[in-house]
Amino acid sequence: MSCCHITLAPNDEEPEVPDENLSSHLAELDLSPSEELKAQAVGTEDLFAEAESDPEAFWARQARERLTWSKDFDQTLDWSEAPFAKWFVGGELNVAHNCVDRHVEAGNGDRVALHFEGEGGDTRTVTYAQLKDDVCRAANALVELGVSKGDRVAIYLPMIPEAIATMLACARLGAPHSVIFGGFSAEALRTRINDAEARVVVTADGQWRRGKAAPLKPAVDEALAGGDTPVEKVLVVKRTESEVEWTDGRDVWWHDLVDGQSTEHTAEPMDAEHPLFILYTSGTTGKPKGIFHTTGGYLTQTAYTNAVVHDVHPETDVYWCTADIGWVTGHSYIVYGPLANGATQVLYEGTPDTPHQGRWWEIVEKYKVSILYTAPTAIRTFMKWGSDIPAKFDLSSIRVLGSVGEPINPEAWLWYRKNIGGDKAPIVDTWWQTETGAIMISPLPGVTTLEPGSAQRPIPGISAEILDDEGKPFTEPDKVGYLVLTQPWPSMLRGIWGDPERYKETYWSRFGEKYYFAGDGAKYDEKGNIWLLGRVDDVMNVSGHRLSTAEIESALVSHPSVAEAAVVGATDETTGQAVVAFVILRGGAEDHGDQTVQELRNHVAKEIGPIAKPRQIMVVPELPKTRSGKIMRRLLKDVAENREVGDVTTLADSSVMNLIQQGLSKDS
Ligand code: 6R9
């Protein structure tokens, strides 16, 4: 399987059974911060009080202390046109200047920015001075391709230093980028390029995946075929030396254009609210949403959270976030936050099991990684592979661990801490979203007594509540409700690209305009910790990647043999959730059993990307629907998870579920 932040191998082995009884084991653990962390951590208890007494003054201080402004702002927050926020009004800064130039100017040009590790073992060490030169060269090249402030640039690249240089070059020019995950298909690429009206695409011939060259440029060619495209130029990095088709006048090799550019480029200050990037994410309808973020607020909060939550000390730490840059985590916690802080980090191109299942731990040992930020789906896979694999490596450099993307179950949490964190590293379970831009709910390593499985409390500066069905906040433990955010925050999305109405409707209408509706279920425990319980809308979370049921359903019905489709996310031991589809074939279309199912699975992979490929497709005679025609996915989920089917009384035809189940038992 592959996902947006890491690619994992399918594996049928049974997970390791935790050797102790979980809850008694938990009770014995001391999960309060060590004295060492308390003394040295960046994030302190005082921040909570400071932020609470005057949140705007708190954020203004973070903005001024963490970033370099060309022009100071005169108003911290303008919320007069809520829910459209303006932060740091009147301020000007350049994001690329903040992420590279100023570190060089401060005398830290020789500090390593990136320890790049290619899948095949090729390495590159990029210092801040070199990164500044790379970014300037890329910026000059983009200018030569006709890019100017406000133009959009699509980026479809592997995890290589050029990807980071390109993102920062765009930021330098004020040309918002739209990074599209390298695992997405030509079709997904086309819709995203067209929605953002990108003028330039930056891609590579291919990327290394499990020892093989996986093509990238052919998908770009396919996405742009037909002529009706906003794209004028395609800039191509040579990574795998694969044969590629070439469109003269449109396609340009990176080494021909970028390498010879000047390393001088003056970064122009941008308004604090100038758009920095667009990133597409799944919503409840089939059409992906272009979430867009702006300059000052986004950089303030990513830098702040990377410092206080990951506890980054740029002079001494080696930080590694394993996300793909095509995911928001890669944007905020590989590119913008850590580079704004001047951190040294690892950038790894490949998969965790190439050439062997200890690859990550070998990298940790080699670079003495001290902070590791990854996703529960990866941790669960490593659990399956067995603790003897990390045990072969020296992981003693690790002092802080992080988790993001979905709830981390206590078993995985304990395994992570014990086998990767030497039984002592704190785990920060960080809840946030593409929309929030940066971490919102998380423990702080030097402050919080940890609670495995819970993201715990909003960080200083952030306020969250849990509401019941009527929109009333409550605090009683174990009651399930909806997570909302009650105050604007600097790195909040500024909208959905080209669709302000959808922004208001999706996030600010469910419980009125006072509350940002996150789409996640949540509850409190007796200690007041927040537990996130997964999506409440029609969005699935597969390996930490958001997929909409509607998007996959429309991919299925675009196949000539499918009349109707319903998709649900079923619990899956490794990927959190897995895609399970129910389809009705068209009259005349023959059911060739496995062959039909395979064809449909491949069709979804082609339309959306391998990540969306259903784990299972069941051909059914009918779908369960309410009288108003809404598919009752809840019932299908019962089937997909092998449970007794729940209440069917609101079905228009209550015999449908019997029909579906009879059909399925006949097949098996
Ligand atoms: C950063 C990122 C957002 C959705 C979010 C929630 C889930 C993320 C989580 C978590 C529980 C955590 N999620 N982190 N759930 N605990 N620590 O993942 O962004 O791809 O937009 O997904 O992921 O459901 O609403 P994005």
Side-chain angles (χ1 to χ4, degrees):
M1 109 211 67
S2 99
C3 79
C4 58
H5 47 103
I6 40 171
T7 307
L8 301 167
N11 196 297
D12 300 324
E13 292 157 39
E14 284 300 305
E16 265 179 37
V17 182
D19 44 357
E20 298 99 336
N21 173 296
L22 190 65
S23 47
S24 67
H25 181 66
L26 272 175
E28 282 163 23
L29 287 176
D30 176 10
L31 296 176
S32 59
S34 67
E35 288 310 316
E36 196 187 337
L37 265 168
K38 269 198 229 162
Q40 292 174 4
V42 184
T44 58
E45 183 76 54
D46 308 346
L47 293 175
F48 286 96
E50 183 198 341
E52 206 155 303
S53 75
D54 188 345
E56 284 187 33
F58 172 81
W59 285 119
R61 180 171 81 80
Q62 294 302 333
R64 291 196 175 103
E65 286 180 8
R66 296 192 181 278
L67 306 183
T68 304
W69 296 77
S70 318
K71 180 169 169 280
D72 192 17
F73 47 91
D74 23 61
Q75 188 185 356
T76 302
L77 169 66
D78 177 359
W79 191 231
S80 60
E81 286 167 53
F84 297 93
K86 290 197 189 86
W87 280 88
F88 310 124
V89 184
E92 290 181 9
L93 73 166
N94 186 285
V95 166
H97 175 266
N98 271 274
C99 290
V100 280
D101 305 45
R102 66 169 175 153
H103 304 313
V104 180
E105 285 163 17
N108 294 321
D110 291 339
R111 185 184 296 164
V112 174
L114 306 172
H115 287 295
F116 170 69
E117 182 87 17
E119 196 193 67
D122 55 318
T123 60
R124 268 189 265 172
T125 308
V126 184
T127 64
Y128 273 94
Q130 288 165 335
L131 185 60
K132 180 190 159 287
D133 289 352
D134 290 344
V135 173
C136 288
R137 271 192 286 259
N140 285 323
L142 289 176
V143 169
E144 204 174 309
L145 293 179
V147 175
S148 56
K149 186 172 171 180
D151 288 341
R152 271 82 65 200
V153 174
I155 300 177
Y156 188 62
L157 281 171
M159 293 281 290
I160 53 178
E162 287 85 348
I164 293 177
T166 306
M167 289 166 78
L168 291 172
C170 289
R172 199 171 186 92
L173 300 175
H177 55 68
S178 163
V179 181
I180 299 144
F181 170 53
F184 279 156
S185 68
E187 195 42 46
L189 198 52
R190 188 202 322 269
T191 51
R192 285 157 176 78
I193 286 172
N194 290 349
D195 187 77
E197 297 170 284
R199 283 184 77 171
V200 169
V201 181
V202 185
T203 188
D205 50 355
Q207 60 183 339
W208 291 110
R209 233 71 209 131
R210 298 223 153 74
K212 291 204 192 79
L216 283 174
K217 180 156 190 297
V220 175
D221 292 334
E222 197 184 328
L224 306 187
D228 187 19
T229 170
V231 173
E232 292 156 23
K233 297 283 177 190
V234 178
L235 183 58
V236 190
V237 176
K238 191 169 261 186
R239 175 70 188 139
T240 52
E241 309 274 336
S242 311
E243 285 278 315
V244 288
E245 307 236 324
W246 207 250
T247 304
D248 287 329
R250 186 195 73 183
D251 298 349
V252 186
W253 282 113
W254 176 283
H255 54 264
D256 285 342
L257 181 72
V258 182
D259 290 359
Q261 295 287 338
S262 158
T263 55
E264 296 298 317
H265 179 274
T266 312
E268 187 198 328
M270 301 290 152
D271 186 90
E273 282 299 339
H274 187 73
L276 178 64
F277 67 83
I278 306 170
L279 185 57
Y280 287 84
T281 188
S282 295
T284 49
T285 70
K287 190 172 179 276
K289 298 179 284 198
I291 303 299
F292 79 94
H293 285 282
T294 59
T295 298
Y298 174 80
L299 200 63
T300 298
Q301 197 173 329
T302 51
Y304 159 72
T305 46
N306 178 243
V308 303
V309 177
H310 297 120
D311 194 39
V312 170
H313 294 71
E315 302 79 19
T316 47
D317 276 313
V318 178
Y319 164 91
W320 183 18
C321 165
T322 66
D324 191 281
I325 51 150
W327 193 28
V328 71
T329 305
H331 284 59
S332 301
Y333 297 109
I334 294 176
V335 184
Y336 294 111
L339 295 178
N341 289 336
T344 294
Q345 61 181 319
V346 169
L347 180 72
Y348 174 53
E349 176 190 29
T351 47
D353 54 351
T354 308
H356 57 81
Q357 294 178 334
R359 184 67 192 272
W360 278 22
W361 318 123
E362 186 177 74
I363 292 174
V364 168
E365 180 180 281
K366 176 173 174 188
Y367 295 106
K368 300 199 168 35
V369 170
S370 54
I371 305 169
L372 178 72
Y373 191 35
T374 191
T377 183
I379 298 162
R380 289 193 294 263
T381 302
F382 295 130
M383 276 174 84
K384 281 195 199 171
W385 291 348
S387 47
D388 53 318
I389 295 173
K392 291 188 200 123
F393 299 88
D394 177 6
L395 308 181
S396 60
S397 53
I398 286 188
R399 56 174 206 89
V400 176
L401 295 171
S403 172
V404 58
E406 58 178 312
I408 174 166
N409 46 310
E411 292 85 351
W413 196 103
L414 287 173
W415 187 92
Y416 192 28
R417 177 175 162 104
K418 182 169 171 211
N419 295 288
I420 311 302
D423 240 341
K424 62 177 200 312
I427 299 174
V428 289
D429 175 0
T430 62
W431 178 89
W432 60 292
Q433 309 177 296
T434 306
E435 292 87 341
T436 68
I439 294 167
M440 305 292 282
I441 304 179
S442 171
L444 299 189
V447 179
T448 316
T449 297
L450 303 169
E451 187 67 44
S454 164
Q456 302 193 264
R457 288 169 73 181
I459 59 166
I462 300 301
S463 14
E465 282 189 274
I466 303 179
L467 307 184
D468 65 16
D469 280 323
E470 271 74 57
K472 274 217 252 4
F474 65 85
T475 52
E476 66 223 74
D478 289 328
K479 178 172 157 175
V480 174
Y482 304 92
L483 181 77
V484 294
L485 303 168
T486 57
Q487 295 293 333
W489 62 100
S491 64
M492 66 193 284
L493 75 165
R494 297 305 194 261
I496 295 175
W497 193 254
D499 201 345
E501 274 314 305
R502 191 174 175 198
Y503 166 64
K504 282 205 243 179
E505 196 189 298
T506 311
Y507 304 106
W508 301 93
S509 68
R510 178 74 170 78
F511 294 111
E513 60 212 24
K514 256 174 60 194
Y515 295 113
Y516 169 88
F517 174 61
D520 277 350
K523 64 170 191 183
Y524 292 105
D525 63 17
E526 312 74 46
K527 297 178 200 154
N529 291 309
I530 297 176
W531 290 70
L532 278 312
L533 303 171
R535 305 287 308 178
V536 295
D537 49 21
D538 292 334
V539 174
M540 288 169 283
N541 188 328
V542 179
S543 295
H545 182 73
R546 277 163 70 173
L547 294 171
S548 91
T549 52
E551 200 178 358
I552 301 175
E553 284 162 7
S554 67
L556 282 165
V557 293
S558 75
H559 188 278
S561 356
V562 176
E564 231 185 316
V567 164
V568 296
T571 307
D572 185 279
E573 212 156 71
T574 306
T575 58
Q577 285 190 310
V579 180
V580 176
F582 296 81
V583 298
I584 304 178
L585 296 181
R586 283 199 191 182
E590 262 186 69
D591 180 2
H592 295 292
D594 267 2
Q595 195 191 325
T596 305
V597 165
Q598 279 316 328
E599 194 178 313
L600 294 178
R601 291 179 72 226
N602 293 336
H603 180 70
V604 174
K606 182 169 181 304
E607 289 293 304
I608 303 173
I611 176 72
K613 201 173 189 173
R615 182 186 73 184
Q616 217 177 338
I617 295 184
M618 311 192 201
V619 178
V620 293
E622 292 286 348
L623 290 171
K625 289 189 182 158
T626 61
R627 278 164 213 125
S628 62
K630 211 170 181 324
I631 295 172
M632 291 194 65
R633 292 194 182 73
R634 171 171 64 78
L635 299 176
L636 294 174
K637 210 167 150 150
D638 289 339
V639 175
E641 294 178 346
N642 292 320
R643 253 195 318 272
E644 200 168 313
V645 172
D647 182 14
V648 294
T649 50
T650 51
L651 281 181
D653 174 357
S654 58
S655 65
V656 166
M657 286 315 292
N658 289 339
L659 259 169
I660 291 177
Q661 286 178 306
Q662 276 163 17
L664 294 178
S665 57
K666 195 176 69 209
D667 292 346
S668 56

